[in-house]
Amino acid sequence: MTERGRVSYSTNRGREEYPGRSDSGRHGRTDGDRAARLTRPAEGGSAEGRASRRLEGRRPEGRRRAPGGGERPGRRAREQETGAVFGDPSETMAIGGMREPGGRRAAGGPGGPAGPGGGHGGRGGRGRRGRGGGGGDDGDGRFDGSHGFEDDEKPRKTGWRRFVPSWKILVAVFTIGFVAVGVLLAVMYSMTPLPSDSQAQASATARGSVIYYNDGKKVLARLGTKRTPINLTKDVPKHVQDAVLAAENRGFREEPGISVRGMTRALWSAVTGGEVTGASTITQQVARNYYEGLSQERALSRKIKEIFIAIKMDQEKSKDDILELYLNTIYFGRGAYGIEAASQAFFKKSVRKLTVEEAAYIAGRIQNPVAFDNAEAKGNYAPTEGRFHYVIKGLATMDPATYGKYVSTSSGQTESVAKFAKPKKNEVRNYFKGTTGYMVDLVLRELKEKQNLSRDEIDRGGYSITSTFDPDMMNAAKRAVEGKVKQFGKGVQASLAAVDPKNGRVLAFYGGPDYLKKPWNVSFDARKQAASAFKPYVLAAWLDNGWSLNSYLDGNNPVKLEGTNPIWNAGRKSWGSIDVTKATANSVNSVFAKMGEAVGLDKVVKIASEAGLDESRLKDAEGRHRYLITIGSAEVSAAEQATGYAAFANEGKHYDRHVVIEVKQLATKARIYREKRAFKQVFSPEVAADATYAMQQVVKAGTGTNAALADRPVAGKTGTNNESKEAWFVGYTPQLSTAVGMYKEIKDKKGQVKEVPLPGDIGGGAVPAMIWRDFMAEALKGKPVEQFPDPARVGDQHDLAPKPKPTPTVEPTDSPEDTLPTQPPQNDDGQCENWPFCDNEGGPDDDEGGNGNPDGPGDPGDPGNPGDPGPGNPGGPNDPGPGSEKQNNPWFYPDSRSRDGS
């Protein structure tokens, strides 16, 4: 039995009970109707009886129900189930308004003319409440049992099935979601612009720089990223292109920038735990590696953006353009970026000349270049050989007609029969090794100073840098120096620098034996007292002041000048009254001291600094040593001296010394820097001609005869410091100005570097002059012989001493005539006589001298020891340098020193 609410039905439908129901109004009956119905027995329990009653209650065909409960047009009248007489409220029971089990509440309203409870019940709905109508004009209310009982209803879901939505709902939700995602992706795609080439990543366009010798063709060094961009159609053969596609993306030319199949395969492998496979096309790799804003991190947002850019790139760029970007961007190993650099790195040839096998090898490396490098470094070529054969088979698959000969199918499977293209030995060249490193270092220094180009910018900027260095002269400098210096043993060092007088270019120099072992550049960084090699600047000041070479000065010992110790000639020799030319040839100290006094030290410093010497050091020497600067107390480098003497060789014109001619962009050939071509007229051509004439006499008959060249004129000057601790020869021809210096440094027991006398009392006219001669003979070999201009004989004769009576010609002495004297003047008590640097009482001028030469580029001076205001090389800014045991005696100049003592 089924119970719903409070209505009970017997299974044989012969009896209906409604215990205790009082809401008759809901069902269209009065209380009297319910009472009568409940007190009479059920009629017609049999099937026949029920049929008879239904026939009696049938309404005539076509009859419409009265308003309020009648049957709808065209709809058959419902059958009556009670058998009662029509319209008899005592016999009948209006069923049309009752709630049927499982049905919705009847939709019909109150009865028509027959009053409440009348009318034929409408058809019950299949929901919770029936659709029964209100009573009709005949007052019947029929109950259609075929639509009211719950055994006709669809079973309700129970258990977990109650929570499963209808498939129709699922389809609808999926469809809506799919459309929403599609719209979202479309919006994101439209909002993702294709970056311009100007937004390329720095790493994708990074290109190393090339430094050339002065001819602009011979490579001096390659720095930074190895990359040489190429043009696909002009430079890359088809078989090289095909090899790359066979290795990385065989469907490249047909795919729309992405590979759906590849991404699906990669996703499936990741989900199933299979081998991780790549899904990126060449276009996607270009998007990721070339454009800014796409990192290498594994993120969904980055991948989506990469896909969008790849699709747009495929639409807006040709396949050749994309492949060209790829081949110029991708890393192949051995530090090579781009196919051209890779071809050079692995096979020492241009990509234009690669064979099919070589192309297959290089293309195969793209997959994992670092791992392949590591394996090959250990002699294991199996990984790269495996990739090689993979590429070969890919080529045969892509184009059997062209590449089929490289595979065999005799075993039933496609096998590569191509011979493995083993790469050339990896030669890692360090451009800082040997003497090359000194040249590279000078170029980097100058670009930083003049163009503010850092090393990193040069490594990545792709510059073509033309240096001033002549490769043949550089080799000649190395041979000349090392051929003479090695015989003197450890600690003896020589510097050499050669400058073109007509433009200031440093054509050659000797910085040291090996930059990696000793980066200190002796020709640019080591600053030593110039000694008598400084005297030509005093001579130029004299001539520029309007006084001639024919002027006579007192050459006797000693000369006493204000604020300066008495100055003696070498060997304490007195020369009497002597003209300027002869005094220059024999390097007479007293004469040049008087010349400096006559013209003024300011003028001497001005000319020397304008010719190329460091002004700050000159002024420091002037302030400390006064007139001793005229005989060389200022510190100079070989490079400075070569530049200074170049003004004499070039009619008094000074060009700034430099080592870079120009800098261009490798890609565009656009010039971004060019050497300065302006010059400064330091003194007149006439002054230069007369000074040159005087310095020619030094080589012809004076202290510098060892520098004479057999085939051309030479002018120059020697210089030797006290105790032969420093020796110079600086000279020139019309084409080339060269300075050579020598010194010796050792480490004491405390590890401190100190300067000591050169072996054999070497003077400037000895070994330095010989090195100069050897270098110049080779450097100028084959070059035209140029003559110096004739002396101009300008200026007035300004005699500071009476013209001497004719005497026999004095031959040059074998001793170093231009050295400083070896003994200080003493008074009758044997003490130093009223000199600023005397150490008579052990005060602040004792032997605790500081050490170190002035700071070189990037090299701090050694700390000075306290209490030494005496003359010496500054160990820091304005700090006196180290002294020997006689350092405070002006006759014994304190040791100058470089920073690379051995």
Side-chain angles (χ1 to χ4, degrees), residues 485 488-494 742-745 758-759 762 902:
V485 171
F488 295 107
K490 188 176 181 180
V492 175
Q493 301 182 60
M742 287 186 69
Y743 61 93
K744 181 177 182 179
E745 290 179 339
L758 288 163
I762 293 174
S902 52

Side-chain angles (χ1 to χ4, degrees), residues 274-488:
E275 180 182 359
V276 177
T277 59
S280 295
T281 64
I282 282 177
T283 309
Q284 287 175 259
Q285 291 182 59
V286 171
R288 179 171 62 251
N289 297 328
Y290 186 74
Y291 291 116
E292 286 182 341
L294 286 176
S295 65
Q296 299 294 325
E297 62 179 305
R298 295 174 179 265
L300 179 61
S301 59
R302 192 273 300 164
K303 191 69 176 178
I304 292 175
K305 188 174 182 180
E306 172 192 306
I307 291 172
F308 289 164
I309 291 178
I311 295 173
K312 283 200 171 184
M313 189 188 307
D314 189 77
Q315 293 175 345
E316 299 183 21
K317 291 182 178 289
S318 69
K319 292 291 186 181
D320 282 352
D321 288 341
I322 295 172
L323 185 57
E324 182 178 300
L325 276 177
Y326 182 74
L327 291 179
N328 283 329
T329 302
I330 203 70
Y331 181 61
F332 289 86
R334 289 192 181 181
Y337 291 82
I339 191 74
E340 175 64 22
S343 182
Q344 295 289 349
F346 293 101
F347 295 106
K348 312 300 180 188
K349 63 172 70 173
S350 170
V351 66
R352 301 181 187 92
K353 299 180 180 180
L354 288 178
T355 65
V356 171
E357 292 87 350
E358 291 167 344
Y361 168 84
I362 289 178
R365 287 189 127 266
I366 297 174
Q367 183 193 52
N368 200 339
V370 175
F372 293 148
D373 277 350
N374 293 336
E376 289 186 349
K378 299 175 183 178
N380 179 15
Y381 287 86
T384 44
E385 187 169 1
R387 283 292 293 175
F388 165 81
H389 291 300
Y390 169 81
V391 176
I392 290 292
K393 288 189 288 185
L395 284 169
T397 301
M398 292 168 56
D399 189 353
T402 304
Y403 306 109
K405 61 183 178 181
Y406 296 101
V407 298
S408 171
T409 58
S410 59
S411 63
Q413 294 182 340
T414 301
E415 298 293 338
S416 169
V417 294
K419 183 179 179 181
F420 176 59
K422 190 173 182 179
K424 303 289 185 182
K425 183 179 178 181
N426 187 17
E427 297 178 358
V428 180
R429 182 176 178 183
N430 190 332
Y431 289 101
F432 285 88
K433 186 177 181 179
T435 57
T436 303
Y438 298 104
M439 290 185 275
V440 175
D441 176 63
L442 287 178
V443 169
L444 295 178
R445 284 196 215 177
E446 187 164 300
L447 290 178
K448 178 62 178 177
E449 177 185 351
K450 294 185 177 181
Q451 287 297 301
N452 198 30
L453 283 175
S454 67
R455 171 66 189 278
D456 182 66
E457 289 174 303
I458 292 172
D459 285 349
R460 300 162 62 90
Y463 298 108
S464 170
I465 304 166
T466 303
S467 73
T468 61
F469 307 124
D470 182 295
D472 295 330
M473 289 189 185
M474 286 296 300
N475 291 331
K478 178 180 173 64
R479 286 190 290 267
V481 171
E482 294 182 353
K484 288 288 192 295
V485 171
K486 285 184 178 180
Q487 61 182 309
F488 295 107

Side-chain angles (χ1 to χ4, degrees), residues 552 576-579 801-807:
Y552 282 86
S577 183
I578 185 173
D579 66 50
K803 184 177 180 179
K805 296 179 179 180
T807 56

Side-chain angles (χ1 to χ4, degrees), residues 240-250 252-253 282 323 398:
V240 177
Q241 299 179 37
D242 290 345
V244 172
L245 299 184
E248 292 296 306
N249 190 184
R250 297 175 188 178
F252 168 73
R253 296 199 179 275
I282 282 177
L323 185 57
M398 292 168 56

Side-chain angles (χ1 to χ4, degrees), residues 371-700:
F372 293 148
D373 277 350
N374 293 336
E376 289 186 349
K378 299 175 183 178
N380 179 15
Y381 287 86
T384 44
E385 187 169 1
R387 283 292 293 175
F388 165 81
H389 291 300
Y390 169 81
V391 176
I392 290 292
K393 288 189 288 185
L395 284 169
T397 301
M398 292 168 56
D399 189 353
T402 304
Y403 306 109
K405 61 183 178 181
Y406 296 101
V407 298
S408 171
T409 58
S410 59
S411 63
Q413 294 182 340
T414 301
E415 298 293 338
S416 169
V417 294
K419 183 179 179 181
F420 176 59
K422 190 173 182 179
K424 303 289 185 182
K425 183 179 178 181
N426 187 17
E427 297 178 358
V428 180
R429 182 176 178 183
N430 190 332
Y431 289 101
F432 285 88
K433 186 177 181 179
T435 57
T436 303
Y438 298 104
M439 290 185 275
V440 175
D441 176 63
L442 287 178
V443 169
L444 295 178
R445 284 196 215 177
E446 187 164 300
L447 290 178
K448 178 62 178 177
E449 177 185 351
K450 294 185 177 181
Q451 287 297 301
N452 198 30
L453 283 175
S454 67
R455 171 66 189 278
D456 182 66
E457 289 174 303
I458 292 172
D459 285 349
R460 300 162 62 90
Y463 298 108
S464 170
I465 304 166
T466 303
S467 73
T468 61
F469 307 124
D470 182 295
D472 295 330
M473 289 189 185
M474 286 296 300
N475 291 331
K478 178 180 173 64
R479 286 190 290 267
V481 171
E482 294 182 353
K484 288 288 192 295
V485 171
K486 285 184 178 180
Q487 61 182 309
F488 295 107
K490 188 176 181 180
V492 175
Q493 301 182 60
S495 58
L496 183 153
V499 173
D500 187 335
K502 293 179 173 58
N503 48 41
R505 296 176 181 176
V506 178
L507 297 178
F509 70 95
Y510 180 79
D514 189 345
Y515 180 85
L516 293 180
K517 295 179 180 178
K518 188 179 290 186
W520 181 258
N521 189 326
V522 295
S523 293
F524 282 78
D525 301 335
R527 295 157 185 169
K528 302 297 179 181
Q529 288 180 324
S532 289
F534 184 83
K535 290 174 180 175
Y537 306 112
V538 181
L539 174 61
W542 173 270
L543 295 171
D544 192 66
N545 209 49
W547 299 326
S548 72
L549 292 174
N550 298 326
S551 302
Y552 282 86
L553 291 93
D554 186 1
N556 292 319
N557 280 312
V559 57
K560 296 184 178 181
L561 301 173
E562 182 181 357
T564 306
N565 295 334
I567 296 175
W568 293 68
N569 295 324
R572 307 191 72 176
K573 179 178 180 178
S574 291
W575 292 83
S577 183
I578 185 173
D579 66 50
V580 174
T581 302
K582 188 175 182 180
T584 302
N586 292 278
S587 195
V588 181
N589 290 339
S590 57
V591 169
F592 279 88
K594 293 295 291 183
M595 291 168 64
E597 180 189 38
V599 300
L601 294 182
D602 288 347
K603 186 173 182 66
V604 173
V605 169
K606 179 176 182 294
I607 281 184
S609 63
E610 289 182 352
L613 273 59
D614 184 84
E615 184 177 15
S616 63
R617 279 185 265 120
L618 290 171
K619 289 186 175 180
D620 179 70
E622 177 194 1
R624 288 173 178 271
H625 312 147
R626 296 297 293 160
Y627 291 100
L628 293 176
I629 191 177
T630 63
I631 57 174
S633 65
E635 293 177 330
V636 296
S637 69
E640 287 175 329
Q641 283 287 68
T643 305
Y645 276 53
F648 294 101
N650 191 31
E651 300 181 332
K653 299 181 183 72
H654 165 75
Y655 287 89
D656 289 341
R657 178 183 67 256
H658 58 282
V659 299
V660 177
I661 296 175
E662 68 177 7
V663 180
K664 293 181 177 180
Q665 284 284 354
L666 280 168
T668 64
K669 306 301 181 184
R671 182 185 288 115
I672 66 170
Y673 170 75
R674 189 173 187 175
E675 64 184 344
K676 182 181 178 181
R677 296 189 174 185
F679 64 86
K680 183 175 183 61
Q681 192 75 45
V682 180
F683 38 78
S684 69
E686 292 76 19
V687 168
D690 283 354
T692 296
Y693 171 78
M695 283 187 276
Q696 282 182 273
Q697 311 316 306
V698 174
V699 178
K700 288 180 178 180

